[in-house]
Amino acid sequence: MTAENEKHCTVLIHYDKGVPPTSEELSKKLESKKDSVKVEALEELIMLMIHGEPYPKLLMTIIRFVVTSNDHRLKKLLMLYWEVVEKCKENGELKEEMILVCNALRNDLMHANEYVRGSTLRLLCKMKYYRVLEPLKEAVLRNLGHRHSYVRRSAVMCVYSVVKSFGIEVMPEAPEDIEQMLLVEGDLSTKRNAFLMLLHCDQDRALKYVLSMQDQVGTMGDIFQLSVLELVRKVCRTQPASRGRCLRIVFNLASSSSTAVSYDCATTLVSLSSSPVAIHQATSAYVSLLTEQSDNNVKLIVLDRLQEVQKHHRQVIEGMVMDIMRALTCPSLDVRKKVLDISLGSLVGPRNAKDVVALLKKEVVKTLGYEAQSTEGNLEYRRLLIKALNAVTAQYSEHAQGVVFLLMDFLTEQDQTAATEVVTFLREIIAGHPELRTAILQKLSDTLEDVSQSRVLRGCLWLLGEFCEDAELIEAVIASVVKALRPLPILAEEAATGKDKKDSMSKDLDSDKSKSSAKFTTQTVVLADGTYGTKTVCERPEETGDDRNNGKDAKKSPLRTLIAGGDLLLSAMLGVTVTKLSLKLPKLSPEVSNEVLFVLSNLFKLSGHRSSGERTDCGVRLSQCIRALLASGAGSGVNLEGGQLAAAKISAGEWSGGHGRSQLNKVLELAAQNCEWAVGSAGLVELEDQTVAPDECINFRQLRERKGTERGMTDSIDDDDFSAARGASLSSQAAADGLLFAERLAKARQMSGLADPVYVEAFLQVHSFDLVLELLMVNRTNEVLQNVLVELSTQGDLKIVDRPAGVTLSPGQQMTVSASIKVASTETGVIFGYVTYEKRSATDKECTVLNELHVDILDYIERAWIGELAFRTMWSEFEWENKININTTIADVGTYLGHIMQNTNMSIVGRSAKKTTGPAPKKKGRLTVEEVKDMIREATGVQQLISSSSFVAANLYAKSIFGEDALANVSIEKLSDGKLTGSVRIRSRTQGIALSLGDRVTVVQRGLGAAAGKR
């Protein structure tokens, strides 16, 4: 039998053997009359044999002098010795001594001590020689009725091992004996082993037993119940008629107290039934596990299952969204993020929107508590909650009023990302719901003086300038802005003074101490009774003018500080805002108009000072604001003529014509398309591709042959349960196998030449954090090559875990060996080595050097999607940057951008995978040309730049399998002679991925350029 011709290694122990002893030395110790000496010698012999020392002559010595001993330690070592000893001759025949070994094993199987019997049965489970097992079958079956459960349990597994290795024909009476044993067995572990044996060897008997004990299955232990669930899955696939009775068992077990059984029941129900009752029962079990288990890994696994259920049974799971969101109490940010991903989107509707908003509001308040401030990831969680509230209230505006004023308190926070999210939230509420504008803008005007972030201030100012319509509110906003800028004027020397203070702080430290130090003097005084006394007087120096100025600086608003510090963009935004507000007033009082003009003039002067006399964009914008105010009659005695008056009217018309609001509507529409959570949109659920080729055969499951059903369905694993439950067809399996073969063939790399004695071909496959290297070795000579061994080494963050084993190749024979390599980081690694072999005609080993195998970084990079705000935040935080200058002969900007995206697996920032039409994109796998074209076509801004401009800039994003973010900015300019120039800037948190992606871009653009030149 084939099982006997293979050598099995079941024991591997590290041992430094040094100089091994001779057979005579070991034989002398084994023949000793003391059991302790025999134990020592046998231990040493086993360790030496495991590490390649054969000692064939000692087998008979052990049979004569060791087997007869009753010492339990020796018995245990003998089991290990029988396991590792060579049992066959060189020609493959069984050694004559093994007859005596079989007799010794039979005696141990009938031993009075249950430990010896159980150890012997466990040894026979690993024995793959039928000629050794054949005379022991009767003794093994007799142990099924032993009084001790340990022996019965080991006997069952021994029977199962024999039947599994050599077929049911060698022990035809085994299933009946196991069934009879099941009916009377009281030990849970033994009963589970017996049931597993029936499950895999005689499924009909196992099903008959379960149906007869259907009412008692719920009272049995969890390990037996898990085996019953495994039987249910197999039976439902092979015997659809029995599905109803089996699912009744699963329903009964779903409420089990065991978490493992509850999880397995839920998975079984989802995979075998699409009934709403079954899906609801499974979802309830998942939710219970999610809220009761404290392990974050368990929560993430359950959430993955819930996400799969959500895709195909949204109506059933919609009513349990509040129960799922109870998992937000977990402190893990990954768990919270996944909970929001599942709960928001298609599960939020008019019926539960109020409850969802109330829960999210409660969680936001929790992040403000004292205990939450010290929790890791509290700021990121707060940002997630603000974004979630934005997504829900944008769709259901009737609930926005309850949270808008709570979120506006975050405008004054130091966390710029959270404050920016609040501004985005306010922008959507103000633009889409006019009834809430006045209250929000009034609150925004009162908060403006305390906002400290420049970007947040710009957003607030734009909202105030664009949407303020009431005259009283406009006057209040202008007064609030002017108040925040006081004291006026803002002098250019203030910023320099602030810098000088920082530079001279260390120099003036000693003088400050001497000035601020108190002076103590002793004076003589006359007391009330006429006697003399002394008192100590502490005299402090008077406050100087600089100290008074410092006190005044401390009271300045953040808006004034930022403008005085040279924030030109904020200055321009402030000037445009006050100008737009002034133009909206039907009649502007002279005091207000003069104050606004004074502010604008002050800002204009500051912008000119900052640019060292050069004309800046900020200065141009502020001059437009001043002209527009003067043209409206704000200035007394100032009249504009000719071109200045026309330019002022154009600017005023642009600001009052609603152009800003129309552009905002386009931005909001694009943001809604790219929103991470599309609330209330049931049609955006990612579904698998349902397209069928016109010439594909139709499969009728009812007419399918029974053999085909068993072969196709029984082998499917649990990961394919959802496809099986939806009736997924297996007719395209041959086509899938053909595509898989073509993909493997494309990845195969030739490591040696065809004329070499050993031809080696490598196939490298990535499995998460491991690399599996399959090596095909072919003997190209007419001689037998012995000890053919591939020695591998790595360069980079690669570590070889399992090295290829040595083999013997006959002439023309081919064999495949594999090696496992651990990956530590996203860096381009190199695998190199050589192959050694021995010929019978040669005395020394021969060696062939192999080609280098480069690990492609694209195997680590997965396509991912991200929003523009998150991209800009990470771009400012990441410190590793790699800049690559564009050097290519491609003349088309779109072609170059698409080529870079395809060869780096990076997608355009701001484009969501959920909004694509057709089949949902997969994270794994490389981008195709069609997918890249679709990305560029859907990115309307980039597409317009490509078609109408000579300069194109695009932001790209990808993520590694280790969770590392990779950012890229591609800036391309098309010169007048048709050539492309520019740069590709790559940023990441670690150095490895930035350098590796940079090298990839450099190689790719050079190779394409060379190919284009040849064409």
Side-chain angles (χ1 to χ4, degrees):
M1 296 184 182
T2 57
E4 298 184 4
N5 298 330
E6 299 178 0
K7 293 184 179 180
H8 298 271
C9 176
T10 54
V11 181
L12 185 61
I13 306 173
H14 174 70
Y15 179 65
D16 188 7
K17 60 184 181 180
V19 179
T22 61
S23 298
E24 289 75 14
E25 295 174 353
L26 290 175
S27 178
K28 186 176 179 180
K29 290 183 179 180
L30 292 171
E31 293 174 6
S32 174
K33 295 182 179 180
K34 295 182 179 180
D35 288 341
S36 60
V37 178
K38 291 181 180 180
V39 167
E40 182 183 351
L42 192 54
E43 281 184 358
E44 187 176 8
L45 174 61
I46 292 173
M47 301 297 283
L48 290 169
M49 292 182 67
I50 290 175
H51 288 79
E53 300 294 334
Y55 293 107
K57 298 180 181 180
L58 293 180
L59 177 59
M60 199 62 203
T61 303
I62 290 177
I63 295 174
R64 290 175 57 198
F65 297 100
V66 181
V67 169
T68 56
S69 176
N70 288 324
D71 184 74
H72 284 184
R73 176 67 177 166
L74 269 179
K75 288 288 185 184
K76 175 90 183 240
L77 291 174
L78 269 176
M79 301 304 167
L80 293 175
Y81 178 75
W82 301 139
E83 192 173 338
V84 300
V85 71
E86 185 64 43
K87 303 169 184 65
C88 297
K89 302 177 184 178
E90 293 183 357
N91 58 2
E93 296 181 358
L94 200 67
K95 291 182 178 180
E96 292 81 359
E97 294 90 337
M98 295 309 296
I99 299 176
L100 301 175
V101 173
C102 290
N103 186 51
L105 292 175
R106 183 181 179 83
N107 293 334
D108 289 339
L109 286 174
M110 309 305 295
H111 200 277
N113 186 286
E114 63 271 7
Y115 170 76
V116 176
R117 287 197 183 200
S119 299
T120 307
L121 289 167
R122 291 170 66 87
L123 166 67
L124 296 181
C125 290
K126 305 173 186 178
M127 195 74 68
K128 301 300 178 183
Y129 296 89
Y130 181 69
R131 283 169 291 179
V132 176
L133 296 171
E134 186 177 11
L136 305 176
K137 291 189 298 181
E138 182 181 353
V140 170
L141 290 175
R142 195 177 302 171
N143 278 297
L144 291 175
H146 193 269
R147 59 182 176 82
H148 203 282
S149 61
Y150 172 69
V151 178
R152 296 196 303 272
R153 181 165 63 247
S154 302
V156 169
M157 295 311 297
C158 182
V159 171
Y160 175 47
S161 176
V162 173
V163 172
K164 184 179 179 181
S165 300
F166 305 103
I168 192 67
E169 298 82 9
V170 301
M171 299 180 74
E173 71 280 7
E176 185 176 355
D177 293 344
I178 295 295
E179 184 182 13
Q180 295 299 324
M181 176 186 175
L182 263 177
L183 296 174
V184 298
E185 181 58 51
D187 181 67
L188 181 61
S189 180
T190 306
K191 181 176 287 190
R192 189 273 309 264
N193 289 357
F195 185 77
L196 281 177
M197 189 269 175
L198 279 185
L199 169 63
H200 293 286
C201 300
D202 195 339
Q203 188 172 297
D204 293 334
R205 285 181 184 271
L207 179 60
K208 180 182 176 182
Y209 170 76
V210 169
L211 293 178
S212 65
M213 304 288 291
Q214 183 173 354
D215 296 334
Q216 287 123 14
V217 171
T219 61
M220 299 180 181
D222 54 350
I223 57 175
F224 186 82
Q225 292 172 351
L226 290 173
S227 303
V228 171
L229 291 174
E230 184 179 352
L231 171 70
V232 168
R233 286 193 291 270
K234 284 196 171 187
V235 169
C236 289
R237 290 170 184 149
T238 57
Q239 303 177 20
S242 304
R243 173 174 296 189
R245 291 182 295 173
C246 293
L247 285 179
R248 192 177 303 116
I249 299 175
V250 181
F251 271 101
N252 295 334
L253 293 177
S255 58
S256 173
S257 58
S258 170
T259 55
V261 175
S262 179
Y263 175 81
D264 215 15
C265 284
T267 305
T268 304
L269 286 173
V270 172
S271 63
L272 298 179
S273 176
S274 57
S275 167
V277 179
I279 300 302
H280 186 272
Q281 182 75 23
T283 307
S284 301
Y286 283 142
V287 171
S288 299
L289 291 173
L290 181 63
T291 55
E292 294 174 3
Q293 294 298 309
S294 58
D295 190 349
N296 291 338
N297 295 321
V298 175
K299 290 179 182 290
L300 291 173
I301 293 172
V302 172
L303 286 170
D304 286 337
R305 286 295 183 180
L306 283 173
Q307 202 164 22
E308 289 293 328
V309 176
Q310 177 209 9
K311 291 180 182 178
H312 310 287
H313 306 283
R314 183 186 61 85
Q315 294 83 1
V316 179
I317 201 175
E318 184 177 353
M320 308 190 70
V321 62
M322 296 306 298
D323 296 325
I324 296 174
M325 294 188 72
R326 284 163 52 198
L328 289 175
T329 56
C330 176
S332 172
L333 187 63
D334 295 332
V335 174
R336 288 169 165 174
K337 177 70 167 61
K338 187 154 285 190
V339 167
L340 291 176
D341 287 340
I342 295 173
S343 302
L344 301 182
S346 58
L347 297 185
V348 178
R351 291 181 296 178
N352 55 16
K354 182 179 179 181
D355 297 330
V356 171
V357 170
L359 180 61
L360 292 175
K361 181 180 177 181
K362 183 179 178 182
E363 290 296 319
V364 171
V365 174
K366 283 183 180 179
T367 61
L368 301 175
Y370 177 75
E371 295 181 358
Q373 296 297 328
S374 58
T375 304
E376 184 180 359
N378 184 59
L379 290 178
E380 289 81 0
Y381 180 46
R382 187 187 300 168
R383 297 169 191 168
L384 274 178
L385 292 174
I386 294 174
K387 189 184 297 184
L389 282 170
N390 186 8
V392 177
T393 53
Q395 185 69 23
Y396 303 101
S397 59
E398 61 271 17
H399 308 298
Q401 192 170 2
V403 297
V404 64
F405 296 107
L406 171 65
L407 296 185
M408 289 183 71
D409 294 336
F410 293 108
L411 289 173
T412 58
E413 292 286 331
Q414 295 297 323
D415 184 13
Q416 180 178 353
T417 306
T420 307
E421 289 287 352
V422 174
V423 172
T424 306
F425 169 71
L426 294 178
R427 183 182 65 181
E428 295 189 15
I429 297 299
I430 292 174
H433 308 285
E435 67 276 5
L436 301 176
R437 283 180 189 170
T438 304
I440 296 175
L441 292 174
Q442 183 65 49
K443 174 72 173 177
L444 201 60
S445 173
D446 298 337
T447 313
L448 191 65
E449 191 175 355
D450 300 324
V451 179
S452 59
Q453 303 291 339
S454 175
R455 183 172 182 175
V456 180
L457 279 168
R458 295 199 303 269
C460 295
L461 289 171
W462 189 88
L463 290 174
L464 291 171
E466 186 66 33
F467 290 100
C468 284
E469 303 291 346
D470 185 63
E472 294 182 1
L473 180 59
I474 292 175
E475 292 179 357
V477 172
I478 294 177
S480 176
V481 171
V482 174
K483 180 183 176 183
L485 294 176
R486 294 187 187 279
L488 292 171
I490 305 174
L491 302 178
E493 290 79 7
E494 292 184 17
T497 304
K499 293 181 180 179
D500 293 340
K501 289 178 183 177
K502 293 180 181 179
D503 296 337
S504 62
M505 186 177 296
S506 58
K507 297 180 181 179
D508 297 341
L509 186 60
D510 296 334
S511 60
D512 291 342
K513 287 183 179 179
S514 62
K515 290 180 181 179
S516 60
S517 59
K519 181 180 180 181
F520 295 91
T521 58
T522 304
Q523 299 177 356
T524 303
V525 294
V526 180
L527 302 178
D529 57 356
T531 59
Y532 293 95
T534 60
K535 70 175 182 179
T536 303
V537 180
C538 176
E539 297 180 359
R540 296 186 180 274
E542 296 182 0
E543 186 180 12
T544 61
D546 292 338
D547 297 331
R548 287 190 294 270
N549 289 337
N550 291 340
K552 189 180 294 183
D553 289 342
K555 297 179 182 178
K556 292 177 182 177
S557 67
L559 175 61
R560 190 184 193 282
T561 305
L562 289 171
I563 291 178
D567 194 336
L568 299 182
L569 190 57
L570 180 60
S571 300
M573 189 72 253
L574 178 62
V576 172
T577 299
V578 294
T579 304
K580 290 166 71 173
L581 292 173
S582 301
L583 293 177
K584 287 181 180 181
L585 284 175
K587 187 176 181 182
L588 193 64
S589 63
E591 294 82 4
V592 176
S593 63
N594 291 337
E595 206 162 24
V596 170
L597 284 172
F598 180 60
V599 169
L600 293 175
S601 303
N602 193 184
L603 296 177
F604 180 79
K605 186 174 181 181
L606 282 175
S607 66
H609 181 271
R610 286 291 171 191
S611 60
S612 302
E614 297 180 2
R615 191 173 180 83
T616 61
D617 295 339
C618 176
V620 173
R621 198 64 168 166
L622 290 171
S623 63
Q624 292 176 354
C625 296
I626 295 174
R627 288 196 195 96
L629 278 179
L630 293 177
S632 65
S636 57
V638 180
N639 295 320
L640 298 179
E641 296 180 357
Q644 291 187 349
L645 182 60
K649 290 183 179 179
I650 292 175
S651 299
E654 180 183 352
W655 288 331
S656 59
H659 177 72
R661 298 191 186 187
S662 62
Q663 293 297 320
L664 176 61
N665 291 332
K666 294 180 180 179
V667 171
L668 293 179
E669 183 180 354
L670 186 61
Q673 293 176 358
N674 295 327
C675 181
E676 190 174 2
W677 299 308
V679 177
S681 53
L684 298 178
V685 180
E686 298 179 14
L687 295 175
E688 292 186 358
D689 188 7
Q690 301 293 336
T691 58
V692 179
D695 57 346
E696 185 173 348
C697 296
I698 300 176
N699 249 338
F700 295 95
R701 296 170 59 195
Q702 291 82 357
L703 304 179
R704 188 183 301 162
E705 292 183 7
R706 178 66 61 185
K707 292 182 180 179
T709 304
E710 293 179 358
R711 182 177 62 253
M713 297 298 288
T714 306
D715 295 340
S716 57
I717 58 176
D718 289 340
D719 291 340
D720 298 330
D721 283 344
F722 284 100
S723 300
R726 294 192 303 274
S729 173
L730 300 177
S731 61
S732 58
Q733 187 64 35
D737 291 342
L739 292 175
L740 180 61
F741 175 74
E743 182 182 354
R744 288 175 62 92
L745 193 62
K747 291 184 178 180
R749 295 292 180 266
Q750 185 174 336
M751 303 291 285
S752 64
L754 293 173
D756 291 329
V758 179
Y759 172 74
V760 181
E761 194 173 81
F763 171 72
L764 189 65
Q765 193 169 7
V766 178
H767 293 290
S768 296
F769 306 116
D770 296 328
L771 299 177
V772 178
L773 180 63
E774 296 181 7
L775 297 169
L776 173 67
M777 298 185 295
V778 183
N779 184 0
R780 305 281 294 175
T781 65
N782 295 324
E783 303 180 46
V784 176
L785 301 181
Q786 298 177 342
N787 296 328
V788 181
L789 183 64
V790 178
E791 293 288 347
L792 297 175
S793 299
T794 59
Q795 180 181 354
D797 284 342
L798 303 176
K799 181 181 179 182
I800 298 178
V801 180
D802 296 328
R803 296 184 177 274
V807 297
T808 299
L809 296 177
S810 304
Q813 183 184 2
Q814 64 181 23
M815 190 172 293
T816 302
V817 296
S818 61
S820 297
I821 302 172
K822 197 74 175 177
V823 183
S825 65
T826 312
E827 291 187 16
T828 303
V830 180
I831 303 173
F832 57 94
Y834 55 91
V835 56
T836 61
Y837 50 90
E838 297 177 359
K839 294 182 179 178
R840 293 183 178 178
S841 58
T843 56
D844 298 330
K845 287 186 177 181
E846 298 188 20
C847 174
T848 302
V849 179
L850 302 177
N851 294 330
E852 292 183 349
L853 182 64
H854 292 265
V855 181
D856 194 351
I857 189 177
L858 283 194
D859 293 330
Y860 304 145
I861 300 295
E862 293 179 348
R863 65 184 80 175
W865 295 265
I866 195 176
E868 295 179 359
L869 178 61
F871 178 87
R872 286 194 289 265
T873 303
M874 286 192 291
W875 185 270
S876 61
E877 292 176 354
F878 290 176
E879 55 187 20
W880 290 103
E881 178 176 319
N882 189 9
K883 183 176 180 181
I884 304 98
N885 294 323
I886 295 177
N887 181 16
T888 181
T889 56
I890 301 177
D892 183 66
V893 176
T895 304
Y896 180 82
L897 179 61
H899 184 69
I900 294 296
M901 292 171 58
Q902 183 182 357
N903 286 277
T904 56
N905 227 20
M906 304 184 83
S907 56
I908 296 178
V909 172
R911 174 190 174 275
S912 175
K914 299 179 182 179
K915 309 302 175 293
T916 56
T917 57
K922 300 179 180 179
K923 276 187 88 174
K924 294 189 177 180
R926 302 187 180 183
L927 286 170
T928 61
V929 178
E930 291 76 13
E931 290 174 338
V932 171
K933 289 181 179 179
D934 290 341
M935 287 185 188
I936 297 177
R937 183 168 56 252
E938 292 171 5
T940 55
V942 177
Q943 184 65 38
Q944 289 179 0
L945 286 175
I946 292 175
S947 58
S948 62
S949 176
S950 61
F951 177 81
V952 175
N955 294 328
L956 308 178
Y957 174 76
K959 200 167 190 177
S960 72
I961 60 176
F962 305 101
E964 300 169 319
D965 299 298
L967 315 178
N969 173 263
V970 183
S971 300
I972 314 170
E973 182 181 2
K974 189 170 185 178
L975 302 177
S976 56
D977 56 358
K979 292 184 179 180
L980 300 183
T981 184
S983 63
V984 179
R985 298 167 62 195
I986 300 172
R987 285 194 182 184
S988 65
R989 199 180 298 275
T990 57
Q991 182 183 16
I993 189 171
L995 294 178
S996 301
L997 270 179
D999 295 340
R1000 175 78 181 178
V1001 171
T1002 303
V1003 172
V1004 163
Q1005 68 174 0
R1006 287 179 180 174
L1008 186 64
K1014 290 179 181 178
R1015 287 196 297 270

